Amino acid sequence: MRSEYDVVVIGGGPAGLAAAIKAKELGMDVLLLERREYLGGIPVQCVHPGFGLHYFGEDLTGTEFIHRFIEKFRGMGIEHYTNAHVLNVVSRSYWHKVLTVVTEEGLFEVRAKTVIYAAGARERHAFEIGITGHRVAGIYTAGEAQTMMDVYGVMPGKEIVIVGSGDVGLIMARRFTLEGAHVKAVVELMPYPGGLTRNVVQCLEDFGIPLYLSHAVTRVEGNKRVERVIVTRVDENLKPVPGTEEVIECDTVILAAGLVPYLKVIEKAGVEIDPATGGPVVNSYLETSVPGIFVAGNALVINDLVDYVVEQGEEAARGAYEFVKNGGLPSLRWRKLVKGRNVRLAVPHYLSDTRDTIVYARVKKPEENVVLRFPEIGKEVRLPFVKPSEMVRVKLRKEEIARAGGRITMEVVGDE
Ligand SMILES: Cc1cc2nc3c(=O)[nH]c(=O)nc-3n(C[C@H](O)[C@H](O)[C@H](O)COP(=O)(O)OP(=O)(O)OC[C@H]3O[C@@H](n4cnc5c(N)ncnc54)[C@H](O)[C@@H]3O)c2cc1C
């Protein structure tokens, strides 16, 4: 490992690989660091299809999808290390970031003009979603269970209860069933499923797996191993209703209750965080509030499609390239993206009329026949429906951004 690079990419998942490939194509001096023993991130453990429809125009499994990126990355001879955990990033000056990296050979310091942070997300644990009871064996996050099954060939259990009906929970229900386990229930807090309708049908209904809507797993019980869970109905304020408890016997609880951007490493560098996304505040170049630190993928915002993750990786690489080429990003007139009616989160937070910018957003509640409006620039996009589980993606052209003063509002309204 040399001591200085134009750009160091942290994380070898789809966002990091896409960023490193694009940066290399743009002629940058790149290093990629991945803490696991293998490249590829989450898709390595995804043997189901649903990857790459937008990017490759083909429905690939996670492993097929990521294999294409790993092959390309390796073919380009990009310098990289696995088993290399980045502990820390410090921004010493505009031009000078220092990363502390733990490897099998010891601790290294690497300097970089820019950093692309693509470290993905962490899964929410039992204590974060209010599950009480015994801390016994048999409670896993979906990612842990998936890695056990699909990377190491070990079944986590036989009688399963899954917490959360987002796409991850739904896909895990099917995966367990196909491997011969009995999925006794998928339990969802909200009155509607969190994942795509296609996944509700293909992963639950086709296999006769019960979905408990407006319910929560409130307690786990067992001696050494999980023996049962208590499932309770919740009211409209999502609070458990006393007297509605039901016991489900099981040996395993799978937590698929949401992801949170994994920011431990760059938080210390002082990046500003958006409480709505849980990720950093960024501009059109996907640069954080610390100049020269860019972010992409699930570390920026939780994406439902890997295609968007790759798009963000490439965009962050273009941002890093502009930074290195011009000695920093130009000081621009930024338009603040303001969340209007039925918009829960939206990135990037600041838009520049120097480039077309893709905005990624999520709504607060499901609605049908709506218009996505940007009133200050007179842009409207008609949508047959919006759902909290499905990201809204829209491109704003630089000429459109230029029409706005200091702010651009994004809102979802009824289609009159
Ligand atoms: C069960 C499941 C099913 C899914 N199904 C689909 C699907 O059907 N279709 C679809 O499009 N998407 C799907 N996804 C989503 C997709 O996998 C993610 O959007 C994508 O993997 C996010 O990519 P990423 O690069 O941001 O993060 P990740 O894939 O999480 O990669 C981040 C990488 O960074 C590394 N890292 C973290 N911290 C450090 C550090 N400090 N130092 C060095 N390295 C570090 C990690 O080890 C990891 O390899 C699914 C996800 C799950 C969990």
Side-chain angles (χ1 to χ4, degrees), residues 10-16 33-36 40-43 46 48-51 84-86 118-121 146 168 171-172 262 265 296-299 303-307 309:
I10 304 173
L33 300 167
E34 165 56 52
R35 70 176 169 190
R36 291 208 224 179
I42 301 279
C46 292
H48 62 274
F51 287 76
H85 184 113
V86 179
Q146 207 182 33
V168 171
I171 286 165
M172 288 307 290
Y262 176 66
V265 177
N298 278 0
N303 290 273
D304 33 21
L305 290 181
V306 78
D307 309 73
V309 164

Side-chain angles (χ1 to χ4, degrees), residues 274-403:
D274 172 1
T277 58
V281 172
V282 291
N283 60 32
S284 286
Y285 294 78
L286 301 189
E287 185 190 35
T288 65
S289 57
V290 177
I293 298 185
F294 298 80
V295 62
N298 278 0
L300 167 63
V301 60
I302 303 304
N303 290 273
D304 33 21
L305 290 181
V306 78
D307 309 73
Y308 300 167
V309 164
V310 165
E311 187 171 73
Q312 291 156 14
E314 293 177 348
E315 208 49 35
R318 286 191 199 97
Y321 172 70
E322 294 287 332
F323 189 98
V324 170
K325 189 178 72 174
N326 301 319
L329 294 182
S331 75
L332 302 164
R333 192 158 72 87
W334 297 106
R335 279 84 171 170
K336 189 170 175 13
L337 184 65
V338 177
K339 290 174 283 173
R341 185 190 172 280
N342 199 12
V343 175
R344 184 166 69 80
L345 60 86
V347 290
H349 305 76
Y350 294 96
L351 311 178
S352 146
D353 60 10
T354 52
R355 55 174 36 211
D356 295 348
T357 300
I358 296 168
V359 172
Y360 306 89
R362 282 188 194 273
V363 297
K364 293 179 187 159
K365 56 175 189 203
E367 284 185 312
E368 288 184 3
N369 296 323
V370 291
V371 180
L372 186 63
R373 287 207 321 163
F374 298 87
E376 288 90 351
I377 60 175
K379 188 178 177 87
E380 294 193 346
V381 183
R382 290 196 148 59
L383 298 171
F385 62 85
V386 287
K387 288 175 171 186
S389 57
E390 285 187 40
M391 205 145 186
V392 176
R393 175 190 176 280
V394 59
K395 187 186 247 183
L396 299 185
R397 285 181 294 107
K398 54 188 180 189
E399 303 78 32
E400 292 172 327
I401 298 171
R403 279 187 227 145

Side-chain angles (χ1 to χ4, degrees), residues 3-11 15-16 19-20 23 28-33 86-101 109-119 263 265-267 269 271 280 282 285-296 299 312-313 315-321 323-324 329:
S3 60
E4 181 139 17
Y5 297 84
D6 286 341
V7 56
V8 175
V9 178
I10 304 173
M28 294 176 88
D29 177 26
V30 189
L31 170 69
L32 181 140
L33 300 167
V86 179
L87 270 187
N88 213 351
V89 178
V90 178
S91 178
R92 293 255 165 88
S93 72
Y94 212 74
W95 272 111
H96 191 182
K97 280 92 206 140
V98 179
L99 294 88
T100 311
V101 191
E109 272 206 348
V110 183
R111 281 182 298 166
K113 290 178 185 149
T114 60
V115 169
I116 297 178
Y117 186 75
L263 292 183
V265 177
I266 48 163
E267 257 177 342
V271 300
V282 291
Y285 294 78
L286 301 189
E287 185 190 35
T288 65
S289 57
V290 177
I293 298 185
F294 298 80
V295 62
Q312 291 156 14
E315 208 49 35
R318 286 191 199 97
Y321 172 70
F323 189 98
V324 170
L329 294 182

